[in-house]
Amino acid sequence: MDAEEGTIEIDGADIVIHESVGTGNTAVVFRGFFSKVNKEVAVKVMDKRSFGPKEQLAFSREVGVLQKVICENLVILYGVSYDGDIPRLITEYCDGGAVFDFLHNNEDEEYELGPDQQYKMSVDVAVAMNYLHAFDPMIVHRDLKSLNLLLHERISSIGDVPLVKVCDFGVSKLKESGDWGKMTAQAGTKHWMAPEMWITDSYNEKVDVYSYAMVLFEILCREVPFEDEEPADVGKLTAEGERPDMEAVPPDASPRLVSVMEQCWEQDPEMRPSFKAVLEQLEAAR
């Protein structure tokens, strides 16, 4: 397998791999060190046993997006190295880990996010998504969720300022020739997936806006959306207009964030705001 056109190919001898920091269905992510730039990096190693045509396409999509974009709230691509024909994706290392783990698997249960931290995390994600949707050609992520958000540094106190970065572009889609063309139904992850993605291959970038609402719910409530539902049942519920339980929203939650969340999970995609509009509303609430 050849490197993507324009992608920097890194000599494997320049990468030292340390401990595993995450495991997925088709890859394991390790903390590593890139000697040429003298920095810690994340090394995404594809599973040789499951690296088929579908996985190759996902890898190519991710590399293809990351080598085009430059945004503080998107992970930085350093390049690709190879173990035989199996590629390894080399990106910046985010010491804080996945936002999902921070929100839902935090061992320090006494620590709660402050309102300024909730606001900053919400803005960071919206900035990244607005950048992608304003890119030429437009990029729709299609799998926005807290598992695909990384904290650049660890957050352990109310005084820490979070920096969130969007990652994992394996199912992303570029808008070509002014149209999306045929899309993939159920391309994302069930609990964060827009209702239209369950039933049609004709949808647009507003699926990311819906998923952003689910992320806001997580930030505000420290709960996974539809946590008590089976993944296969979530589509039926959202198609019928069901949304996560608002009783989980704390009484002291930011009214502006709650309002943005409810706008972003509108059933009709055309009623959902753009990320530009989301940022304007958040700026007004600063």
Side-chain angles (χ1 to χ4, degrees):
M1 179 178 176
D2 296 328
E4 295 294 305
E5 185 178 352
T7 305
I8 298 173
E9 185 169 349
I10 297 172
D11 188 338
D14 294 330
I15 303 294
V16 178
I17 295 180
H18 298 303
E19 77 279 6
S20 168
V21 294
T23 303
N25 294 328
T26 62
V28 179
V29 180
F30 296 87
R31 182 178 67 88
F33 185 78
F34 185 11
S35 60
K36 282 288 182 68
V37 296
N38 196 32
K39 287 186 177 181
E40 282 191 314
V41 291
V43 184
K44 185 176 184 179
V45 180
M46 309 308 295
D47 188 335
K48 295 180 181 180
R49 297 165 298 179
S50 60
F51 194 66
K54 181 179 178 181
E55 290 72 29
Q56 291 180 23
L57 176 60
F59 185 86
S60 295
R61 278 177 169 167
E62 182 158 25
V63 173
V65 169
L66 287 177
Q67 68 184 5
K68 290 180 173 70
V69 298
I70 302 175
C71 176
E72 182 184 29
N73 298 112
L74 298 175
V75 292
I76 297 170
L77 173 69
Y78 286 109
V80 176
S81 69
Y82 290 87
D83 179 8
D85 289 335
I86 303 300
R88 302 184 298 184
L89 188 73
I90 315 299
T91 61
E92 69 175 313
Y93 179 68
C94 293
D95 190 50
V99 169
F100 180 94
D101 290 328
F102 173 75
L103 293 176
H104 309 305
N105 299 326
N106 197 334
E107 295 179 358
D108 185 4
E109 295 182 358
E110 295 182 359
Y111 173 66
E112 294 292 337
L113 282 170
D116 288 345
Q117 292 171 314
Q118 292 178 331
Y119 175 84
K120 176 63 162 54
M121 293 173 71
S122 304
V123 169
D124 282 357
V125 181
V127 166
M129 298 309 301
N130 183 56
Y131 176 91
L132 294 173
H133 286 190
F135 199 80
D136 185 15
M138 182 190 289
I139 301 168
V140 60
H141 190 285
R142 297 202 296 180
D143 198 17
L144 181 63
K145 57 185 177 182
S146 57
L147 284 159
N148 288 338
L149 302 174
L150 300 175
L151 285 165
H152 190 253
E153 303 290 346
R154 294 179 184 273
I155 302 297
S156 58
S157 74
I158 196 73
D160 293 335
V161 179
L163 173 58
V164 179
K165 292 175 175 271
V166 177
C167 67
D168 201 335
F169 292 86
V171 296
S172 60
K173 179 82 170 179
L174 275 66
K175 187 174 185 179
E176 299 173 351
S177 302
D179 196 3
W180 290 116
K182 186 176 181 179
M183 300 286 262
T184 304
Q186 301 188 32
T189 304
K190 312 304 183 188
H191 289 73
W192 291 263
M193 192 186 300
E196 62 267 26
M197 294 183 76
W198 291 84
I199 56 178
T200 181
D201 59 9
S202 178
Y203 54 83
N204 60 23
E205 73 278 4
K206 292 298 182 72
V207 297
D208 285 343
V209 179
Y210 178 92
S211 298
Y212 176 71
M214 299 299 107
V215 170
L216 289 183
F217 180 83
E218 292 181 89
I219 291 172
L220 290 170
C221 307
R222 302 292 286 265
E223 289 187 12
V224 176
F226 302 107
E227 187 169 21
D228 296 330
E229 303 294 340
E230 291 296 325
D233 295 332
V234 174
K236 181 176 184 296
L237 292 171
T238 57
E240 293 172 350
E242 292 289 327
R243 294 296 182 266
D245 187 0
M246 289 296 289
E247 290 186 2
V249 178
D252 59 348
S254 163
R256 178 67 70 175
L257 284 182
V258 173
S259 173
V260 169
M261 176 180 73
E262 292 181 310
Q263 293 174 56
C264 289
W265 72 30
E266 281 279 358
Q267 192 76 0
D268 181 354
E270 298 308 310
M271 295 294 292
R272 299 172 200 155
S274 66
F275 279 108
K276 180 181 178 182
V278 166
L279 286 170
E280 289 171 352
Q281 290 195 53
L282 294 179
E283 179 62 29
R286 185 183 294 276

